[in-house]
Amino acid sequence: MLALIAGSGDLPAELVARLSDRPLICAMSGFEPTSVEAELTFRLEQLGSFLIELKSRGVTEICMVGGVGRPSINPTAIDAATMPLVPILQAALLAGDDGALRAVIGIFEQLDFAVRAAQEVAPDLLMAAGVVTKVQPGELDKADAVRGAEIVAAMSAADIGQSCAIRTRQAIAVENTFGTDWMLQSLQNRPDGSGGVLFKAPKPAQDLRADLPTIGPATVELTAKAGLSGLVLEADGVIVLAQDEVIATADRLGLFLWLRPA
Amino acid sequence: MLALIAGSGDLPAELVARLSDRPLICAMSGFEPTSVEAELTFRLEQLGSFLIELKSRGVTEICMVGGVGRPSINPTAIDAATMPLVPILQAALLAGDDGALRAVIGIFEQLDFAVRAAQEVAPDLLMAAGVVTKVQPGELDKADAVRGAEIVAAMSAADIGQSCAIRTRQAIAVENTFGTDWMLQSLQNRPDGSGGVLFKAPKPAQDLRADLPTIGPATVELTAKAGLSGLVLEADGVIVLAQDEVIATADRLGLFLWLRPA
């Protein structure tokens, strides 16, 4: 049996909709999901007891999906079953995002849960490689995609962002800590008119059990408002939410959407 | 004798003001300087004749300073003295900025001119290492400066920009092809309030005879409007124009200005 530890955003609901068997939906207290309802909520200080409870309900697999923040731990609330996990949890809270995730996965695996990525549980969260819109990318767009892949790889090495906008092989925007939407909004005042592509890909070294970068219809709207010609997503590396609506929005706005093999 | 090939911006005037002997000020047709007056203007198609003219006037050193765009060459206007240089010029026009510059420097050196960087001719275009403002950077600013140096190094490897803004070790802005001012303006709508530093440095592999990155009083104003706490410039790597005014502006706005050794 599968347990979801669900956070914010639309991804948990999209995942649940794709499963034939309803999973046990769980949430960490303080970071409840917004798109599904949690059946079981746990405090991080009682993670040990929570995992024992999962075992007793027949859970064998865990999938963490959606956004969660960094919780703080109240030392007086730690229960006996969680005490042995405290050193790992403390290290996790001090580590970067990737490190924190690896630590938590380590706890689950140590207790014999299999940890599954969202795209492993529901492979059609990813779209097949190819151009799915009426508009196709041109030769210049293809060259800009190559440049975008180079730039995101360099940014990822410095752990900056996972997307950029390129026009005629020049970076006209580079994602920062405020995310893709903010980057696209900043281009609404761009000094060079229009044209260029949005490129988005996971970090090369990203643990694929963390949520992959994700887009949805709002990303397509913002890409159009930024004056860009289309979206290039690394195929197998970017989750597309509300896929029919994403394609319809791109077609309506005259953009291309290209799932590009890495 | 020194000849300046002067382009746009304030740097040519600031350089001339620092020289005890007035240089011969030259300009490429179509890219005339804005802050000094050119005594001699040449068309790129007659570069060969221009260099012969420089020799006849006793010029032994050339310094290229200020902004120029990429000229186009009219083949019918090429004179005899320039004909042998055409292959090098053509390659230069097709190369990236660094490559174009190296090609042009190669032509000058082949004809026995010494090519000087602006900061070599007028060393005090650079400011000495240290904090020159009343406000000093704090420990967090210092950590952000370390992160900024990492980010600019990674960006430079991908030939993106030469500056970024960092707050609590997160990139909140990354320079793109629109330049530092545009990046700072984009932060006027930042979602996280205020704080953080502007970091600016040359590309690690930059030919130092190209203009180094440059700031002036307007950069300080924009840094304040972006809600940042100060400027960190790589010492010996960033030219500071109107230095007294830069320091006075920073002091008036409560920012620090730190020339940080690489």
Side-chain angles (χ1 to χ4, degrees):
Chain A
M1 188 187 177
L2 174 71
L4 287 192
I5 301 179
S8 61
D10 292 334
L11 185 52
E14 292 240 3
L15 178 62
V16 170
R18 282 168 165 82
L19 300 176
S20 48
D21 298 325
R22 188 168 167 85
L24 177 67
I25 302 179
C26 309
M28 183 160 58
S29 180
F31 303 97
E32 282 78 8
T34 46
S35 62
V36 293
E37 197 146 338
E39 210 170 314
L40 199 60
T41 298
F42 66 98
R43 292 184 61 168
L44 191 57
E45 293 90 344
Q46 283 135 39
L47 178 65
S49 309
F50 166 68
L51 294 175
I52 291 168
E53 168 79 17
L54 290 189
K55 286 266 176 207
S56 77
R57 294 191 184 211
V59 169
T60 52
E61 301 185 316
I62 294 177
C63 174
M64 292 180 287
V65 66
V68 293
R70 298 213 160 215
S72 55
I73 295 187
N74 174 358
T76 64
I78 297 170
D79 69 9
T82 307
M83 208 57 90
L85 307 175
V86 167
I88 311 179
L89 286 176
Q90 276 176 332
L93 292 175
L94 291 173
D97 284 352
D98 285 352
L101 181 80
R102 270 193 299 274
V104 171
I105 289 176
I107 290 176
F108 294 161
E109 289 182 334
Q110 206 178 312
L111 294 167
D112 284 329
F113 292 101
V115 178
R116 304 278 181 230
Q119 67 276 12
E120 194 183 342
V121 173
D124 66 349
L125 287 169
L126 302 175
M127 296 178 78
V131 179
V132 296
T133 44
K134 290 175 193 151
V135 176
Q136 303 284 311
E139 288 310 310
L140 191 53
D141 300 315
K142 288 176 187 174
D144 284 346
V146 171
R147 182 86 176 105
E150 283 170 13
I151 290 171
V152 167
M155 288 162 57
S156 299
D159 198 11
I160 308 177
Q162 297 176 302
S163 75
C164 61
I166 314 99
R167 183 190 179 212
T168 56
R169 295 186 59 77
Q170 299 292 316
I172 58 171
V174 176
E175 185 176 314
N176 60 43
T177 192
F178 304 142
T180 304
D181 285 1
W182 197 80
M183 177 185 81
L184 290 170
Q185 274 157 1
S186 79
L187 280 176
Q188 293 189 29
N189 301 315
R190 59 191 277 193
D192 68 335
S194 60
V197 306
L198 171 69
F199 183 90
K200 188 157 179 155
K203 296 181 214 172
Q206 179 169 339
D207 188 316
L208 295 181
R209 289 168 298 187
D211 287 354
L212 291 178
T214 300
I215 72 142
T219 317
V220 180
E221 299 269 3
L222 285 170
T223 303
K225 281 190 186 150
L228 299 169
S229 308
L231 299 86
V232 185
L233 309 178
E234 187 178 301
D236 301 321
V238 179
I239 289 175
V240 181
L241 298 176
Q243 295 179 3
D244 292 347
E245 192 184 340
V246 159
I247 297 171
T249 306
D251 279 338
R252 174 169 56 80
L253 297 170
L255 301 183
F256 66 81
L257 172 58
W258 176 20
L259 287 300
R260 179 177 175 272
Chain B
M1 188 189 177
L2 173 71
L4 288 192
I5 301 180
S8 60
D10 291 334
L11 185 53
E14 292 241 4
L15 178 61
V16 169
R18 282 169 165 83
L19 299 176
S20 48
D21 297 324
R22 187 168 169 85
L24 177 66
I25 302 180
C26 310
M28 183 159 58
S29 180
F31 303 98
E32 282 78 7
T34 46
S35 62
V36 293
E37 196 146 339
E39 210 170 315
L40 199 60
T41 298
F42 66 99
R43 293 184 61 169
L44 191 58
E45 293 90 344
Q46 282 135 39
L47 178 64
S49 308
F50 166 67
L51 294 176
I52 292 169
E53 168 79 19
L54 290 190
K55 286 265 177 206
S56 76
R57 293 190 183 212
V59 169
T60 52
E61 301 185 317
I62 293 176
C63 174
M64 291 180 287
V65 67
V68 293
R70 295 211 163 219
S72 55
I73 294 188
N74 174 357
T76 64
I78 297 170
D79 69 9
T82 308
M83 208 56 91
L85 307 174
V86 166
I88 311 178
L89 286 176
Q90 277 175 332
L93 292 175
L94 292 173
D97 284 352
D98 284 354
L101 182 81
R102 270 193 299 275
V104 171
I105 288 176
I107 289 176
F108 295 160
E109 289 182 335
Q110 206 178 312
L111 294 168
D112 285 329
F113 292 101
V115 178
R116 304 279 180 228
Q119 68 275 13
E120 194 183 343
V121 172
D124 66 350
L125 287 170
L126 303 175
M127 294 177 80
V131 179
V132 296
T133 44
K134 290 174 193 151
V135 176
Q136 303 284 311
E139 286 312 308
L140 191 53
D141 300 315
K142 287 176 188 172
D144 285 345
V146 170
R147 182 86 175 105
E150 284 170 15
I151 291 172
V152 166
M155 290 161 57
S156 298
D159 198 10
I160 308 177
Q162 297 175 302
S163 75
C164 62
I166 314 98
R167 183 190 179 211
T168 57
R169 295 188 58 78
Q170 298 292 316
I172 58 171
V174 176
E175 184 177 315
N176 60 42
T177 192
F178 304 142
T180 305
D181 285 1
W182 197 80
M183 177 185 80
L184 290 170
Q185 274 156 2
S186 78
L187 280 176
Q188 293 188 26
N189 301 315
R190 59 191 277 192
D192 67 336
S194 61
V197 306
L198 170 69
F199 183 90
K200 189 159 179 155
K203 297 181 213 171
Q206 178 170 337
D207 188 316
L208 295 181
R209 288 168 300 186
D211 286 355
L212 291 179
T214 300
I215 72 140
T219 316
V220 179
E221 298 269 4
L222 285 169
T223 302
K225 281 190 186 150
L228 299 169
S229 308
L231 298 88
V232 185
L233 311 177
E234 188 179 301
D236 302 323
V238 179
I239 289 173
V240 182
L241 298 177
Q243 295 179 4
D244 292 346
E245 192 184 342
V246 159
I247 297 170
T249 305
D251 279 338
R252 174 170 55 80
L253 297 170
L255 301 182
F256 65 81
L257 172 59
W258 176 20
L259 287 300
R260 178 177 176 272

